[in-house]
Amino acid sequence: MRLRPPRIRVALYRLARGLLSKDTRNDLLQLLTTLVMSPLYVIPMVLFTLGVSLTPLLLVGLPLVPLAMKLAAWIARLDRERLDVLRGFAIDMPVANPGKGWKDRLERLFGRRAWRELGFTAIMTLWGLGAGGLVMMVLAAGLLLALLPFIGPFLPDGSSLLGLDVGSMAGAVAGGVVGLALLSAGLWLGGPLARAESAVVARMLGANRVDHLVRRMMDLEDSRSRMVDAAELERQRIERDLHDGAQQRLLSVAMSLGRAKSRFARDPESAQALVIAAHQEAKAAMQELRDVTRGLHPAILTEQGIEPALITIAARCPIRVDLSVQLPQRPSPRAEAVAYYVVSELLTNIAKHAAADRAAVTVLRDENLLRLTVTDDGIGGADPARGSGISGLRDRVRAVDGHLTLSSPVGGPTVVDVTLPWRA
């Protein structure tokens, strides 16, 4: 019969494992570096205060003010990188002014972001000395007391430390127990303080609501220009396909019918052959017109939804396509149209360039997203920079706030994952 360890031993083991975990070490390292950087945080505020105080005296302190702002910006950048290295805590950067004029430079030097960075150094000065100093002091006192049972026998009788009689064995053991308690408290305290510091850094140095709105406006402007380019490329493709294909075939039909008309009375057999040829050309023109409109919005998509439309695409594809559609209901018409276009173009590219034997298309709902995954067992090596068509698809997806990722190592397989807003 297997005996269970005592509950108190299990609790102590779990406590020790939690206190000595990687997260705990990272928390303590973050607070320690904050404490070490405290003198650096002080410098911008000292320079700024001296600059403001001395400026009325013959403008002596005027150069110190921009120097303080530049130093605060450098320290803020250093702090962002420190948290990224120690915690993997990436801070969403505020929107920077890329202009090169003197007004833009003054905006970067004395704008809203610069004042936030200066205020950040002032807050971190107090925080580093307070939070970091508190935790390190508790840990140092706990470590010293925890070592008393080992160094107590070597101390003279009547010795005291932090109000404890450590000259006796009982006092040394009591001090060791208090030291372990302080060590545990210091290790546990590092977590909340480190998280609070990360929140302060993100609030002071990260993007706020105005930055998000500006970035959103910039993304919309970029998406609009990309959509205009994508629409122009699509128009050129349709024009080229119509000119080189269906238009030439229809012209051939007209010429064949004209020759048949002129020969109908004197050579009926030859005229009949020309009519048959014109009929074949007309059917070929109809097929080419269907191919041209394949990437557009078909009637079956509007009437029946994305699944029947994709079944039609898969059936026309020259390679085997495993299709899986798991949608509890239809997404928005715009999301359906973009999804149809993306799958149609990807299957066309696979059939033409991937040298694949089979492809797989998965469509499902992921919370408020419509997720498409298209894979193939081809040769891989798809690169958007070399005109593989992925760039145009990515622009089309980004226009509705979607996201497209591509994984195509040389030798395959190629995986394209697309997420679209369900109510795009």
Side-chain angles (χ1 to χ4, degrees), residues 143-165:
L143 181 61
L144 181 60
L145 290 175
L147 294 177
L148 284 180
F150 302 99
I151 64 176
F154 303 99
L155 297 177
D157 294 338
S159 299
S160 62
L161 179 64
L162 300 179
L164 296 175
D165 181 15

Side-chain angles (χ1 to χ4, degrees), residues 7-39:
R7 292 184 178 180
I8 187 171
R9 187 187 305 172
V10 174
L12 290 175
Y13 170 74
R14 291 179 178 176
L15 177 63
R17 186 174 61 178
L19 293 177
L20 299 178
S21 63
K22 181 180 179 180
D23 291 338
T24 302
R25 295 195 300 270
N26 290 338
D27 293 337
L28 295 179
L29 186 58
Q30 177 182 338
L31 294 174
L32 177 60
T33 53
T34 304
L35 178 61
V36 173
M37 290 179 61
S38 295

Side-chain angles (χ1 to χ4, degrees), residues 28 92 94 106 118 174 187 242 289 303 314 424:
L28 295 179
D92 193 9
L106 285 178
L118 183 64
L187 293 174
L242 289 175
L289 286 174
E303 297 171 359

Side-chain angles (χ1 to χ4, degrees), residues 191-210:
L193 291 178
R195 288 191 293 271
E197 178 185 323
S198 300
V200 170
V201 175
R203 183 64 180 270
M204 296 294 294
L205 301 183
N208 57 14
R209 187 170 181 271
V210 175

Side-chain angles (χ1 to χ4, degrees), residues 216-279:
R216 174 64 175 163
M217 183 183 65
M218 295 170 62
D219 289 340
L220 290 176
E221 290 178 352
D222 183 62
S223 297
R224 183 182 63 182
S225 62
R226 289 175 178 272
M227 272 304 299
V228 171
D229 295 339
E232 178 63 20
L233 290 176
E234 186 69 12
R235 185 195 64 79
Q236 292 176 3
R237 180 188 73 84
I238 295 174
E239 181 181 2
R240 182 178 61 252
D241 292 344
L242 289 175
H243 181 271
D244 297 340
Q247 182 178 347
Q248 297 298 323
R249 290 190 179 277
L250 291 175
L251 179 61
S252 177
V253 169
M255 294 177 63
S256 296
L257 291 177
R259 290 197 301 269
K261 179 180 179 182
S262 64
R263 298 181 185 181
F264 187 77
R266 57 186 174 83
D267 191 359
E269 294 182 358
S270 176
Q272 183 180 8
L274 289 173
V275 171
I276 293 174
H279 180 249

